[in-house]
C-alpha cells in the first residue's frame, strides 16, 4: 500500500467514525424520551405555542430521515442548538469557553508527557533499580487516585492551607476578579491561578506516560541493533538517546495522543473543583442545569477532537516511522 | 604473536535460577589473515564467545580467563579503551537479515556513525567512504539513503558487511552471517566474504551451525559442544576425517552431493544438547554418543593430539587413532 | 514493585500428577475438571509467592469484610440526618467521631463504611455486565470472523474512540440519576476494550490443533465455543475482570462526584460530592474529604495489584522475561 493510500484510508476511517458519532448523538437525543420535554426540563413556564415553535425549529415535525439530514446540515453549519439556560446559541456558549481549556490541557499534557517520558527512560535504562521500583509504586498510586480527589487535597493544602501547609495559591478561577490587570500583570495573574490545576493534571497523567515509555524502551533495549551499536563502540549515552529512545518513542507517542480522551475526562472534574472557566466546568454546570443542548454540543466537540487527535497520531506516526511511511 | 589469543575462557550467565555456564574453558588462537571456523548446535556457546570477545554480553555476566587482542587484554580494558578497540580492531558481522540494523536510521548513517565516532574521517570524507564501502560489497552507492526495511535480506547482510569493514579492522567476527538467507543468497554472501577476506588479508572468526559453509572458507575448524571445544584442527582433516564422534555426526548432517561417503543415509544425532545448568558427568557428549563405552560417563576427556595441529577431546582418540578405526574394536581405548 | 516469584525449586507439579494417578477419572468431563483443578492450584501456588498480589488481596479482603458487615460496624441510622446518633455539625475527629462529622452532623466514618457497599456493588455489577457484553462480542467477532467481525469490530473501534466521560455524562443526564443508570452507563462505555482482548485471544485459539481437530470431527459451533474456546479464554477474562472492577469503581466515583449518582444511596463519590458542595475543602474540613477518597484509592489499588499479579502468572510471555 502506498503512502497516499494509507493516508486516504486513515482519513476515510476518521470521517466514518465522525459520522457514527453524529448519528449516535442524533438518536441518543430522540431515543430517550421526548426531546422537547428534555430541552425544557426546568423551564415549565413555557407556553404550548412556544413548544410547537420549538418542535418546528428542531425539525421534529418531519419524518425521521429528513430530521437526520436537517440535523447533519445544521451541525455542519455550526448550529448546535440553543441553550435555554444561557439564552444563547450553544456554539456561542462553547466558543466562549474553549481557550482556557486549550491552555490548561495543552500545557499540562506537554508537561506530563515530557516528564513521563523522561522518567520512563530513566526507569527502563536502570530496570529493577530503587528508582525504577519507587516510580512504579508511585505510578500505580496515581493511577488509582481519582483526579478530583487529588485536586481537593491540593486545594486544601496549598490554597486553603490546612494544618502546616502554606496557602500559596488562589483556590480557583481564571483571574482575580475586579483587579483589572492588563498586559504582563494579567498573564502572571492567570498563570498564578493555573499553577494548582496544572500541577494536579500533570501529576495525574504522568504515571501513565512513564509506564508506556518504560515498557517500550525495555522492548527496544532487547533488540539486536542495540548490540550492533555497542559493538561499533558507541557510547552508552548515545546508545540510549541515539538508538533506543528514537525507536521507543514511536509507540509511546501514539498512545500519548490516544490518551487525550482520558485527559478530557479528567479536565471536567478538575475544572469544576478549581472553578476554571473552560469546557470542563461548562460540562459540570450543564449537568447541574440539565442543559441538554450544551451537553450534546460538548459531547460532539469532545468526540470530534479525540477523532482528530487519532488521525493526527496516525499521520504523525506514518511520517516519523519509515516502515509505516513505505508500508 | 597471534592476532587473537583466547585462553581458558569461562562465561557464566546470571539468571534467577543461579549462574548458567555457557562457555567452559575455551582456547582460541587466530593468526593474521587466518580464518577459523567455529561450529556447533545452537546453545553450545559459540555466539556467547563472539559476544565475550568485545564484551558485549549482558551486564552481570561473569567472564573469566584471558582474551588478548593484538597482545592487549580485552577483559582488563577501561570502558574508554574498550570503545576505541571495538570496530577498529575487531568488528562483527551480525545476522543482519534479522534485526541487527536500526529500523529508523538510514543505512548510510549507520555505517557513517562507526567511522565518525572513531574519528577516522571528517563528515564529508566519511560520506564518500560509505559510498565506496557499499560498492565494495556489491551494492549501488545510492542505497546510502535507504532504510533497512527497503532492503532484501541479502542486501541487509551486505550492508552489515560494509559496516564491519568501515574502520579497517584486522579481525572480523562473522556470527551466523548466512543464516536466515535463502540458499542462492547464502552462496553469494559467502563468496563475497571469502573474496574480501582474501583481498584485504583479514583474519576472521566464522561462526555457524552449518559445517558445509565452513569447509569452503576456513583454514582451521573448531567444533563446540556444551560450552567446550571438542575438536580443533585443519579444516579438511576435521571435516573429512573427523576424530570426534560429534564432529562426524555434524558433518554427516550436511551431505555433499556426489561423495561416496554420503551415499549412506545421513546419521542424525539422537536427543538434544544438554542444558548448561544440568550437564551430564564425564564426557558431556556420552548420552548421545553412538560409540560411548564404560569409561565415558566417568572420565571428562581433555584435548588429545590427533595429528599436527589437530586435537580432539575423546577417549577413543587417546590411542592417537582416528575414531573409525577405534570404533571397529570397541573398548580398545584406554 | 513487581517481584517475580523467586522460586529456585522447579515448579512442583508432581503432587497433582500423583493425585490423578490415584483416582483415574473416567469420563472426559472428569479429566477436564481434574486438569482445570490442578491448573487452578498451580496458579494459586504461584500467586501466593507474589508479594504485590497478596498485598492487594489483603486490602481487598478488608474492604469486602467492611461491605458485608457494614450494619454491624455502624448503624445505618447514622446515614439519616435526623438520627439521634448524629452529633455536632462539621466536628473535627474526636473519640466519639473518629473521622469527624459532616455538615448534617453525621459521622464520616459511618458514611464511609456504608459507602463501601454501594461503591463495591456498582463496581462489581457494572463489571459483570461489561464483561458479558465484551465476551459476547469478542467471541462472535473472533469465532465467526467475516462480515460479523468487520461490523462488530468497527462498532468496537467507534466506541473506543468516543471519550467515555462525556458520553457517560450525556447518557446519565438523559436517563436521570439512579443506581441503575450508573451501572448501565459504566457498562456501555467500558465493554470495547474487553471485546478487543477477547477477540484477539479467540483468534489465536481458533487455529490451535485441538480445536481444528474437534471441528474436523464434526463438533458443533456451540460445542467448540463452550468446551474448547471459553474454558481457555477463561483465565484471561478473569484477569481482565479484576482490572475492569478497578476502573468501574473510579468511574462510579467520578459520575457521583458530578452529581449523577443515586441521590438515595451513599457511595464514596457521593460523600465527596456532598463535601465539595458544602465547601468542605475550602473551609479546611479535611476529615470529610480524605477518608472516602483514600478508600477509593485503596480499593482501586488492590484490584489493580491483583490484576497485575494475575496477568504476571497467567501470561507466560511476561513470565519468561
Amino acid at each position: 500500500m502506498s503512502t497516499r493510500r494509507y493516508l486516504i484510508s486513515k482519513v476515510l476511517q476518521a470521517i466514518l467514525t465522525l459520522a457514527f458519532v453524529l448519528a449516535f448523538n442524533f438518536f441518543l437525543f430522540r431515543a430517550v424520551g421526548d426531546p422537547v420535554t428534555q430541552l425544557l426540563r426546568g423551564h415549565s413556564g413555557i407556553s404550548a405555542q412556544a413548544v410547537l415553535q420549538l418542535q418546528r425549529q428542531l425539525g421534529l415535525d418531519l419524518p425521521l430521515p429528513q430530521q437526520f439530514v436537517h440535523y447533519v446540515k445544521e451541525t455542519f453549519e455550526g448550529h448546535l442548538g440553543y441553550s435555554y439556560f444561557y439564552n444563547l446559541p450553544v456554539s456561542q456558549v462553547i466558543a466562549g469557553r474553549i481557550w482556557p481549556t486549550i491552555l490548561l490541557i495543552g500545557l499540562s499534557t506537554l508537561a506530563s508527557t515530557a516528564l513521563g517520558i523522561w522518567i520512563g527512560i530513566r526507569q527502563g535504562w536502570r530496570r529493577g533499580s530503587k528508582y525504577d521500583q519507587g516510580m512504579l509504586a508511585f505510578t500505580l498510586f496515581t493511577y488509582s487516585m481519582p483526579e478530583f480527589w487529588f485536586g481537593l487535597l491540593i486545594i486544601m493544602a496549598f490554597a486553603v492551607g490546612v494544618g502546616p501547609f502554606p496557602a500559596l495559591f488562589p483556590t480557583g478561577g481564571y483571574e482575580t476578579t475586579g483587579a483589572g490587570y492588563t498586559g504582563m500583570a494579567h498573564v502572571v495573574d492567570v498563570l498564578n491561578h493555573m499553577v494548582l490545576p496544572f500541577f494536579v493534571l500533570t501529576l495525574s497523567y504522568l504515571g501513565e506516560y512513564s509506564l508506556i515509555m518504560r515498557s517500550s524502551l525495555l522492548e527496544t533495549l532487547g533488540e539486536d541493533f542495540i548490540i550492533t551499536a555497542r559493538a561499533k563502540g558507541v557510547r552508552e549515552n548515545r546508545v540510549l538517546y541515539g538508538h533506543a529512545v528514537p525507536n521507543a518513542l514511536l509507540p509511546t507517542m501514539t498512545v500519548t495522543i490516544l490518551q487525550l480522551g482520558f485527559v478530557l475526562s479528567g479536565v471536567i472534574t478538575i475544572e469544576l473543583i478549581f472553578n476554571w472557566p473552560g469546557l470542563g466546568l461548562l460540562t459540570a454546570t450543564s449537568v447541574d442545569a440539565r442543559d441538554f443542548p450544551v451537553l450534546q454540543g460538548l459531547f460532539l466537540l469532545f468526540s470530534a477532537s479525540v477523532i482528530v487527535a487519532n488521525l493526527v497520531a496516525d499521520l504523525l506516526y506514518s511520517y516519523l516511522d519509515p516502515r509505516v511511511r513505505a508500508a | 604473536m597471534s592476532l587473537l589469543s583466547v585462553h581458558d575462557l569461562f562465561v557464566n550467565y546470571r539468571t534467577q535460577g543461579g549462574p548458567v555456564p555457557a562457555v567452559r574453558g575455551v582456547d582460541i588462537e587466530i593468526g593474521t589473515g587466518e580464518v577459523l571456523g567455529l561450529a556447533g548446535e545452537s546453545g553450545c556457546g559459540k555466539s556467547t564467545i563472539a559476544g565475550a570477545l568485545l564484551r558485549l554480553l549482558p551486564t552481570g555476566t561473569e567472564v573469566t580467563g584471558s582474551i588478548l587482542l593484538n597482545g592487549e587484554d580485552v577483559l582488563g580494558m577501561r570502558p574508554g579503551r574498550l570503545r576505541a578497540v571495538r570496530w577498529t580492531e575487531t568488528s562483527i558481522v551480525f545476522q543482519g537479515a534479522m534485526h541487527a540494523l536500526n529500523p529508523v536510521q538510514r543505512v548510510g548513517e549507520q555505517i557513517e556513525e562507526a567511522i565518525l565516532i572513531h574519528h577516522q574521517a571528517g563528515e564529508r570524507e566519511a560520506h564518500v567512504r560509505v559510498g565506496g564501502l557499499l560498492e565494495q560489497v556489491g551494492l549501488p552507492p545510492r542505497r546510502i539513503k535507504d532504510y533497512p526495511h527497503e532492503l532484501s535480506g541479502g542486501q541487509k547482510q551486505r550492508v552489515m558487511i560494509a559496516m564491519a569493514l568501515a574502520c579497517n579492522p584486522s579481525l572480523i567476527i562473522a556470527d551466523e552471517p548466512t543464516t536466515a538467507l535463502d540458499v542462492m543468497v547464502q552462496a553469494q554472501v559467502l563468496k563475497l566474504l571469502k573474496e574480501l577476506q582474501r583481498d584485504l588479508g583479514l583474519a576472521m572468526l566464522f561462526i555457524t551451525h552449518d559445517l558445509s559453509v565452513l569447509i569452503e572458507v576456513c583454514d582451521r575448524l573448531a567444533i563446540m559442544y556444551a560450552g567446550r571445544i571438542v575438536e580443533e584442527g585443519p579444516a579438511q582433516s576435521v571435516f573429512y576425517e573427523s576424530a570426534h564422534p560429534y564432529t562426524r555426526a555434524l558433518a554427516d548432517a550436511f551431505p555433499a552431493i556426489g561423495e561416496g561417503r554420503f551415499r549412506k543415509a545421513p546419521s542424525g544425532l539422537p536427543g538434544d544438547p544438554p542444558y548448561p545448568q544440568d550437564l551430564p558427568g564425564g564426557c558431556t557428549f556420552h548420552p548421545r554418543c553412538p560409540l560411548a563405552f564404560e569409561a565415558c560417563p566417568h572420565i571428562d576427556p581433555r584435548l588429545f593430539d590427533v595429528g599436527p595441529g589437530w586435537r580432539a577431546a575423546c577417549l577413543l582418540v587417546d590411542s592417537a587413532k582416528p575414531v573409525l578405526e577405534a570404533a571397529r574394536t570397541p573398548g580398545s581405548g584406554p | 514493585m513487581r517481584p517475580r516469584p523467586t522460586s529456585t525449586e522447579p515448579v512442583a507439579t508432581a503432587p497433582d500428577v500423583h493425585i490423578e494417578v490415584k483416582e483415574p477419572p473416567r469420563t472426559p468431563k472428569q479429566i477436564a475438571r481434574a486438569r482445570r483443578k490442578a491448573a487452578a492450584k498451580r496458579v494459586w501456588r504461584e500467586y501466593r509467592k507474589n508479594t504485590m498480589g497478596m498485598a492487594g488481596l489483603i486490602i481487598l479482603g478488608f474492604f469486602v469484610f467492611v461491605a458485608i458487615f457494614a450494619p454491624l460496624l455502624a448503624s445505618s441510622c447514622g446515614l439519616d440526618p435526623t438520627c439521634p446518633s448524629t452529633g455536632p455539625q462539621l466536628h473535627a475527629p474526636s473519640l466519639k467521631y473518629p473521622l469527624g462529622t459532616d455538615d448534617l452532623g453525621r459521622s464520616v466514618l459511618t458514611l464511609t463504611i456504608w459507602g463501601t457497599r454501594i461503591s463495591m456493588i456498582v463496581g462489581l455489577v457494572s463489571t459483570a455486565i461489561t464483561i458479558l457484553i465484551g465476551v459476547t462480542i469478542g467471541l462472535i467477532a473472533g469465532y465467526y470472523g467475516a462480515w460479523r467481525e468487520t461490523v462488530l469490530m468497527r462498532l468496537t473501534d467507534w466506541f473506543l474512540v468516543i471519550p467515555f466521560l462525556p458520553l457517560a455524562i450525556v447518557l446519565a443526564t438523559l436517563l436521570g440519576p439512579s443506581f441503575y443508570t450508573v451501572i448501565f452507563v459504566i457498562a456501555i462505555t467500558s465493554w470495547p476494550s474487553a471485546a478487543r482482548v477477547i477477540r484477539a485471544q479467540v483468534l489465536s485459539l481458533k487455529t490451535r490443533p485441538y480445536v481444528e481437530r474437534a471441528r474436523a470431527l464434526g463438533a458443533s459451533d456451540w460445542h467448540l465455543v463452550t468446551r474448547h474456546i471459553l474454558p481457555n479464554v477463561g483465565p484471561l477474562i478473569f484477569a481482565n475482570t479484576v482490572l475492569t472492577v478497578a476502573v468501574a469503581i473510579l468511574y462510579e466515583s467520578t459520575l457521583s462526584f458530578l452529581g449523577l449518582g443515586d441521590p438515595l444511596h451513599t457511595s464514596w463519590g457521593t460523600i465527596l460530592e456532598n463535601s465539595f458542595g458544602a465547601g468542605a475543602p475550602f473551609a479546611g474540613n479535611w476529615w470529610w474529604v480524605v477518608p472516602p477518597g483514600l478508600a477509593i484509592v485503596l480499593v482501586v489499588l488492590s484490584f489493580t495489584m491483583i490484576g497485575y499479579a494475575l496477568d504476571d502468572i497467567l501470561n507466560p510471555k511476561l513470565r519468561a522475561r
Side-chain angles (χ1 to χ4, degrees):
Chain A
M1 193 162 59
S2 72
T3 315
R4 179 178 293 176
R5 272 183 58 190
Y6 171 81
L7 296 185
I8 290 176
S9 86
K10 284 294 170 194
V11 172
L12 277 179
Q13 265 177 35
I15 291 175
L16 213 63
T17 313
L18 213 53
F20 169 75
V21 169
L22 270 176
F24 190 74
N25 204 14
F26 173 79
F27 283 108
L28 202 62
F29 200 38
R30 278 154 185 80
V32 191
D34 172 35
V36 175
T37 331
Q38 302 272 13
L39 277 179
L40 299 181
R41 190 184 287 181
H43 302 271
S44 48
I46 287 170
S47 67
Q49 202 195 342
V51 170
L52 268 177
Q53 199 198 335
L54 187 64
Q55 275 184 332
R56 200 161 322 122
Q57 201 185 325
L58 290 170
L60 291 173
D61 48 349
L62 302 169
L64 213 59
Q66 267 174 296
Q67 279 187 36
F68 185 64
V69 174
H70 177 79
Y71 161 79
V72 172
K73 216 177 110 203
E74 289 279 290
T75 306
F76 274 101
E77 284 167 4
H79 302 303
L80 299 172
Y82 192 84
S83 163
Y84 288 88
F85 184 72
Y86 291 96
N87 260 323
L88 280 173
V90 169
S91 47
Q92 272 187 36
V93 175
I94 290 179
R97 298 294 196 91
I98 264 184
W99 290 109
T101 295
I102 290 185
L103 185 67
L104 184 60
I105 288 195
L107 285 183
S108 64
T109 302
L110 275 181
S112 57
T113 38
L115 262 174
I117 285 173
W118 183 69
I119 291 173
I121 290 174
R122 290 192 51 197
Q123 276 185 282
W125 189 239
R126 306 229 171 284
R127 181 193 198 172
S129 63
K130 283 263 149 57
Y131 176 83
D132 182 27
Q133 292 182 345
M135 272 300 162
L136 270 177
F138 169 76
T139 305
L140 268 187
F141 196 79
T142 54
Y143 172 83
S144 305
M145 202 163 51
E147 307 88 347
F148 61 89
W149 179 67
F150 180 48
L152 292 177
L153 295 187
I154 291 297
I155 286 180
M156 288 194 294
F158 299 110
V160 177
V162 172
F165 294 100
L168 294 172
F169 298 97
T171 49
Y174 180 73
E175 55 201 343
T176 315
T177 36
Y181 291 124
T182 50
M184 223 24 229
H186 180 244
V187 173
V188 170
D189 186 38
V190 170
L191 287 181
N192 191 35
H193 280 81
M194 206 173 73
V195 169
L196 292 186
F198 165 82
F199 176 72
V200 170
L201 273 178
T202 303
L203 218 65
S204 297
Y205 292 102
L206 172 143
E208 278 168 274
Y209 303 133
S210 73
L211 207 60
I212 297 163
M213 188 62 201
R214 176 182 181 271
S215 61
S216 178
L217 186 68
L218 281 178
E219 203 161 302
T220 310
L221 285 174
E223 303 260 8
D224 289 348
F225 66 82
I226 297 296
I227 300 179
T228 308
R230 284 213 175 98
K232 280 197 291 191
V234 176
R235 280 171 184 280
E236 285 298 284
N237 215 34
R238 225 190 105 69
V239 169
L240 177 61
Y241 288 102
H243 290 272
V245 169
N247 275 279
L249 263 182
L250 289 169
T252 310
M253 199 191 60
T254 325
V255 181
T256 304
I257 295 180
L258 297 185
Q259 281 276 319
L260 186 70
F262 291 92
V263 181
L264 276 177
S265 305
V267 101
I268 292 175
T269 53
I270 294 303
E271 285 190 4
L272 170 65
I273 63 170
F274 284 100
N275 201 28
W276 184 261
L279 297 174
L281 182 60
L282 182 63
T283 312
T285 47
S286 302
V287 168
D288 275 345
R290 301 286 184 259
D291 193 345
F292 286 101
V294 170
L295 278 182
Q296 292 219 301
L298 285 168
F299 172 61
L300 210 57
L301 180 68
F302 285 149
S303 307
S305 43
V306 173
I307 293 168
V308 170
N310 273 291
L311 183 63
V312 170
D314 279 335
L315 300 188
L316 212 60
Y317 199 99
S318 75
Y319 175 74
L320 290 176
D321 190 336
R323 283 161 296 185
V324 179
R325 216 183 302 164
Chain B
M1 182 190 69
S2 50
L3 190 59
L4 173 74
S5 164
V6 175
H7 184 63
D8 210 21
L9 181 70
F10 279 83
V11 179
N12 286 323
Y13 284 114
R14 197 176 57 177
T15 69
Q16 280 172 7
V20 172
V23 175
R24 307 178 299 127
V26 162
D27 295 344
I28 291 174
E29 298 281 330
I30 299 179
T32 310
E34 192 185 20
V35 182
L36 173 69
L38 191 60
E41 287 166 292
S42 53
C44 71
K46 55 192 193 301
S47 286
T48 300
I49 290 182
L53 294 183
L54 284 182
R55 280 169 56 188
L56 292 170
L57 299 174
T59 38
T61 309
E62 197 187 314
V63 183
T64 59
S66 77
I67 299 172
L68 298 181
L69 197 56
N70 284 322
E72 200 180 353
D73 184 17
V74 174
L75 296 180
M77 279 179 192
R78 298 248 197 100
R81 178 65 195 144
L82 179 66
R83 276 200 305 274
V85 166
R86 285 175 176 173
W87 228 250
T88 54
E89 292 188 15
T90 299
S91 63
I92 307 184
V93 177
F94 290 102
Q95 223 175 309
M98 300 306 283
H99 308 288
L101 292 168
N102 186 339
V104 301
Q105 235 179 31
R106 296 175 196 277
V107 294
E109 287 172 52
Q110 299 186 48
I111 301 175
E112 215 174 297
E113 184 183 33
I115 300 173
L116 291 178
I117 51 180
H118 293 293
H119 307 291
Q120 296 215 335
E123 206 146 321
R124 187 169 303 163
E125 198 189 328
H127 200 72
V128 176
R129 196 150 129 203
V130 171
L133 283 166
L134 287 183
E135 273 190 316
Q136 204 172 356
V137 297
L139 285 174
R142 64 181 159 80
R143 289 292 188 181
I144 283 182
K145 288 210 172 104
D146 281 3
Y147 286 96
H149 72 270
E150 292 169 290
L151 303 172
S152 70
Q155 287 170 330
K156 270 189 266 193
Q157 197 57 67
R158 283 170 194 269
V159 168
M160 274 311 301
I161 294 170
M163 196 188 286
L165 298 174
C167 298
N168 301 314
S170 44
L171 171 67
I172 286 185
I173 301 166
D175 189 2
E176 305 267 6
T178 58
T179 316
L181 297 177
D182 61 54
V183 185
M184 290 300 289
V185 183
Q186 263 190 31
Q188 290 167 8
V189 169
L190 214 56
K191 187 163 161 264
L192 173 70
L193 273 173
K194 209 162 127 186
E195 284 168 6
L196 286 171
Q197 185 270 329
R198 202 182 47 219
D199 297 349
L200 303 174
L202 289 167
M204 207 183 263
L205 176 63
F206 203 110
I207 299 173
T208 179
H209 62 271
D210 188 344
L211 261 186
S212 62
V213 166
L214 290 181
I215 190 68
E216 289 183 42
V217 281
C218 298
D219 306 317
R220 288 191 306 129
L221 272 182
I223 311 294
M224 277 191 83
Y225 187 79
R228 274 196 201 168
I229 288 177
V230 293
E231 181 166 1
E232 197 218 337
Q236 300 290 327
S237 317
V238 171
F239 188 75
Y240 290 107
E241 302 156 53
S242 320
H244 196 285
Y246 178 64
T247 314
R248 163 56 37 88
L250 267 193
D252 283 357
F254 300 96
I257 295 162
E259 274 184 52
R261 68 188 268 259
F262 294 115
R263 292 254 169 79
K264 289 178 285 181
S267 58
L269 211 49
D272 293 314
Y275 290 109
Q277 311 91 303
D278 189 21
L279 294 173
C283 170
T284 49
F285 185 59
H286 83 262
R288 300 171 77 191
C289 183
L291 306 175
F293 56 98
E294 314 84 63
C296 291
H298 308 293
I299 301 169
D300 191 2
R302 59 180 180 85
L303 284 163
F304 300 108
D305 282 327
V306 180
W310 181 10
R311 299 181 303 164
C314 180
L315 294 178
L316 294 171
V317 178
D318 199 12
S319 54
K321 286 176 206 151
V323 168
L324 286 180
E325 258 171 65
R328 266 173 229 127
T329 50
S332 70
Chain C
M1 193 55 223
R2 300 176 62 174
R4 310 279 139 180
T6 51
S7 82
T8 43
E9 59 187 316
V11 178
T13 46
D16 299 333
V17 176
H18 185 66
I19 290 167
E20 276 174 36
V21 170
K22 212 160 60 182
E23 303 164 34
R26 279 168 212 96
T27 68
K29 219 177 201 168
Q30 278 173 322
I31 295 174
R33 195 177 299 154
R35 198 172 50 217
R36 241 161 256 153
K37 212 171 133 192
K41 259 191 194 163
R42 204 158 43 236
V43 168
W44 171 237
R45 207 173 309 132
E46 288 228 9
Y47 189 92
R48 264 192 321 208
K49 288 185 229 147
N50 191 313
T51 324
M52 188 173 72
M54 286 312 281
L57 209 58
I58 290 170
I59 302 175
L60 181 62
F62 171 75
F63 279 97
V64 168
F65 175 84
V66 170
I68 292 174
F69 295 105
L72 299 178
L73 296 168
S75 156
S76 68
C77 174
L79 301 173
D80 184 349
T82 61
C83 177
S85 76
T86 53
Q89 296 168 0
L90 291 175
H91 199 279
S94 61
L95 270 180
K96 187 153 183 243
Y97 302 100
L99 295 177
T101 60
D102 71 356
D103 60 341
L104 300 172
R106 295 178 293 184
S107 161
V108 175
L109 180 62
T110 306
L111 290 173
T112 308
I113 287 174
W114 281 86
T116 313
R117 273 201 164 178
I118 301 301
S119 295
M120 293 280 242
I121 291 175
V122 171
L124 291 173
V125 175
S126 53
T127 300
I129 301 175
T130 302
I131 295 294
L132 195 71
I133 304 176
V135 168
T136 312
I137 291 198
L139 259 183
I140 295 176
Y143 185 79
Y144 288 105
W147 63 270
R148 274 176 263 226
E149 184 176 19
T150 317
V151 171
L152 289 176
M153 282 302 117
R154 207 59 276 191
L155 194 72
T156 310
D157 284 348
W158 282 335
F159 267 96
L160 265 181
V161 167
I162 296 177
F164 95 93
L165 193 58
L167 172 62
I169 287 174
V170 171
L171 278 174
T173 318
L174 281 170
L175 296 169
S178 96
F179 185 71
Y180 301 101
T181 304
V182 174
I183 290 176
F184 170 75
V185 163
I186 294 175
I188 210 74
T189 47
S190 23
W191 63 267
S193 48
R196 289 195 75 131
V197 175
I198 301 297
R199 169 181 160 266
Q201 184 74 7
V202 171
L203 277 183
S204 89
L205 280 174
K206 209 169 64 169
T207 55
R208 297 275 166 87
Y210 63 88
V211 176
E212 292 195 328
R213 192 176 58 216
R215 193 200 305 276
L217 287 171
S220 68
D221 287 343
W222 178 251
H223 175 91
L224 282 174
V225 168
T226 55
R227 293 292 160 77
H228 295 287
I229 308 268
L230 260 185
N232 286 297
V233 225
L236 184 77
I237 296 177
F238 191 54
N240 210 284
T241 305
V242 174
L243 287 172
T244 309
V245 180
V247 178
I249 289 177
L250 272 178
Y251 282 6
E252 190 278 335
S253 73
T254 306
L255 286 175
S256 296
F257 184 72
L258 288 171
L260 294 165
D262 194 324
L264 300 176
H265 291 101
T266 304
S267 77
W268 293 327
T270 14
I271 304 174
L272 285 171
E273 188 218 354
N274 290 334
S275 76
F276 178 68
F282 305 100
N285 303 328
W286 56 269
W287 58 87
W288 193 1
V289 178
V290 175
L294 206 57
I296 297 173
V297 174
L298 285 176
V299 167
V300 173
L301 200 60
S302 72
F303 276 110
T304 312
M305 293 196 296
I306 295 171
Y308 273 126
L310 280 178
D311 205 43
D312 238 16
I313 293 162
L314 298 173
N315 196 340
K317 203 177 96 193
L318 272 174
R319 195 166 32 160
R321 278 192 197 154

